Amino acid sequence: MSDVSIDHLFIKAIGRAGVQFPASKHEISALLGGTELKLSDNHVVRASSLVDAIGPDYFDNGAAFFCAYHSALYRDTWRKEFLSESI
Amino acid sequence: MNVGNCYPLNGKIETEALSAVLLQMSPALSASSVSDVDKNIDKVFEYIDRASLGLPGFDLLLTPEIILNGFSAEFYRSAITLGSSQVARLKEKCAALQIWAVFGVVIDLEDGIFPRNCALTINPDGEIANLYIKTATWIPVEPFTPGDEIQVFDGPKGSRIATLICSDGDYLDSWREAAHKGANVICRISDYMTPYQDAYEITNRAGAYFNRTYVLATNSSGMDESFCLFGRSMAVNPDGSIITQAPEGAPYILKADIYPGLCDHIQKQAFMGNLRWQGDHRGASSPETGGLGRDKSMYSYLKR
């Protein structure tokens, strides 16, 4: 069985954490705390680690945040390293 | 309307409902003197009274462009001043009904300059809340002196209103300037005639979609000395979908409830579709642009 959509679980986590924009990377990570995204039985990632990997430190709006998140997600080296990592 | 897009709209949305009434009508006559303006005010007041009976409690009312004067070759003779008895009547009406109203009127600012085509907004205290001077007049036909500023002001129920007048809305810059200054409700009052039915709808909906704002657009309906004014007034959601629309070619009183706080929430919280931000951060989701994207400097037309 393939992994659950990381975007789906990440958006769920962001919503549950009560993230509102504008917001800084630090604020978003703090709100997410130790929330984990279970992509499969043996593949779990910490939501805040996805935020920590983002380049910009501040997001004026949700679109700015999600673009930055995807930019980081698709960085080839990071993606390869990160998505193979289990916590 | 999908308040989100491909992604949900997260978070708690706090908003008031703004009840808007759009008058789709024609003036009683094409005024050739200031005293004729009173006859047009009488007719507008008849419509307002109907609205207050049939749609009691509304917050904001819009008339079509130039409704107090009519669009004729003599409109410059019927320009009124801000201190006139006619403006005093408008103030008294708004105060009596405790409403905000946007009136289309030709104003003589008593500065020796050819009159202006204006949207005069009066608040429930009977005070002038805003005087907008049409910036992109309908050239080559319309001779009014243009204004030089798209304005945004605080309106009822959490709204930040910009008024545009008819051909202002044919230029994307007018809408964008209003949104850039923080408008969440753009009121476009028009005297739009055939054969521009499609252009009227396209520009209203595009103005809303490109800028993620509500659009309240009211248009004249009827025949004057020159033109067939087609009506089709409408309220448009921030995603460009039409909330409600008046018929073509008939007088009408259109009512729409809109939610300015929802518009604010969409602009700030949506993960997708903030076209103003995205347009200035092209390709921001690419790994090669670091989440910030690229600006608009590629566009040669912006360098003129």
Side-chain angles (χ1 to χ4, degrees):
Chain A
M1 182 178 166
S2 59
D3 283 2
V4 173
S5 160
I6 191 169
D7 282 359
H8 177 74
L9 295 183
F10 188 52
I11 289 173
K12 291 270 188 192
I14 291 287
R16 277 197 301 270
V19 173
Q20 294 282 281
F21 299 96
S24 68
K25 190 162 74 175
H26 177 75
E27 290 167 338
I28 297 168
S29 284
L31 285 168
L32 286 168
T35 301
E36 294 181 342
L37 312 181
K38 185 177 180 182
L39 305 181
S40 67
D41 286 344
N42 56 3
H43 192 178
V44 177
V45 298
R46 189 181 296 272
S48 60
S49 69
L50 298 174
V51 177
D52 294 342
I54 293 174
D57 290 321
Y58 179 81
F59 311 98
D60 188 53
N61 56 65
F65 172 72
F66 222 77
C67 285
Y69 155 69
H70 266 179
S71 173
L73 188 67
Y74 284 98
R75 278 192 314 241
D76 289 342
T77 52
W78 173 83
R79 185 175 188 179
K80 187 187 299 181
E81 292 172 10
F82 184 79
L83 293 185
S84 63
E85 176 184 327
S86 296
I87 57 174
Chain B
M1 174 178 69
N2 272 319
V3 298
N5 33 65
C6 287
Y7 303 140
L9 186 61
N10 277 336
K12 183 178 180 182
I13 300 165
E14 294 188 9
T15 184
E16 292 184 87
L18 189 164
S19 178
V21 166
L22 283 60
L23 303 185
Q24 177 169 299
M25 59 184 296
S26 59
L29 75 170
S30 294
S32 57
S33 68
V34 170
S35 61
D36 282 346
V37 172
D38 276 309
K39 295 170 186 164
N40 287 331
I41 292 176
D42 290 342
K43 184 172 179 181
V44 169
F45 282 6
E46 287 174 18
Y47 273 63
I48 294 176
D49 289 342
R50 284 194 189 101
S52 68
L53 286 169
L55 305 165
F58 64 88
D59 303 298
L60 172 67
L61 177 136
L62 310 182
T63 75
E65 175 189 23
I66 211 167
I67 191 67
L68 300 190
N69 307 81
F71 196 86
S72 76
E74 296 183 318
F75 42 50
Y76 60 90
R77 295 189 181 129
S78 64
I80 60 176
T81 65
L82 293 177
S84 65
S85 61
Q86 289 78 21
V87 171
R89 290 183 67 194
L90 304 179
K91 291 177 174 178
E92 289 168 11
K93 191 69 172 177
C94 290
L97 291 175
Q98 300 171 46
I99 59 169
W100 292 73
V102 181
F103 297 99
V105 57
V106 180
I107 294 288
D108 175 4
L109 289 177
E110 302 181 277
D111 54 3
I113 291 176
F114 199 83
R116 279 83 164 182
N117 185 350
C118 296
L120 176 65
T121 302
I122 297 176
N123 68 22
D125 294 324
E127 300 165 341
I128 293 174
N130 184 260
L131 178 68
Y132 169 70
I133 301 170
K134 188 175 185 179
T135 54
T137 54
W138 186 45
I139 52 177
V141 176
E142 189 179 337
F144 293 116
T145 305
D148 294 304
E149 183 183 14
I150 305 290
Q151 303 165 359
V152 176
F153 58 95
D154 290 335
K157 305 291 180 71
S159 61
R160 294 185 304 282
I161 294 174
T163 51
L164 299 181
I165 303 178
C166 203
S167 56
D168 284 332
D170 293 339
Y171 302 89
L172 58 88
D173 310 276
S174 305
W175 302 98
R176 182 52 56 94
E177 177 75 357
H180 175 74
K181 287 185 169 180
N184 52 23
V185 180
I186 300 178
C187 299
R188 184 192 195 186
I189 64 173
S190 296
D191 197 48
Y192 235 121
M193 70 290 287
T194 54
Y196 293 108
Q197 293 97 316
D198 286 348
Y200 176 68
E201 179 172 327
I202 289 166
T203 49
N204 288 333
R205 297 179 71 175
Y209 174 73
F210 286 143
N211 299 293
R212 289 295 188 267
T213 65
Y214 282 106
V215 170
L216 299 174
T218 188
N219 191 36
S220 301
S221 178
M223 302 271 280
D224 64 13
E225 288 82 349
S226 308
F227 301 114
C228 178
L229 297 317
F230 54 77
R232 290 178 63 171
S233 303
M234 64 182 72
V236 185
N237 278 313
D239 68 353
S241 59
I242 294 175
I243 301 168
T244 182
Q245 185 173 19
E248 183 161 335
Y252 208 80
I253 299 177
L254 188 70
K255 185 254 191 179
D257 288 339
I258 61 174
Y259 309 95
L262 172 60
C263 184
D264 294 342
H265 197 85
I266 289 171
Q267 291 182 357
K268 276 293 175 191
Q269 308 306 329
F271 292 136
M272 175 188 286
N274 185 334
L275 299 182
R276 283 190 290 132
W277 186 89
Q278 292 174 196
D280 207 29
H281 297 80
R282 298 175 300 106
S285 54
S286 166
E288 302 302 324
T289 62
L292 296 174
R294 295 174 183 160
D295 65 19
K296 291 181 175 175
S297 58
M298 63 164 274
Y299 295 109
S300 60
Y301 83 95
L302 292 175
K303 297 172 183 171
R304 289 181 296 132

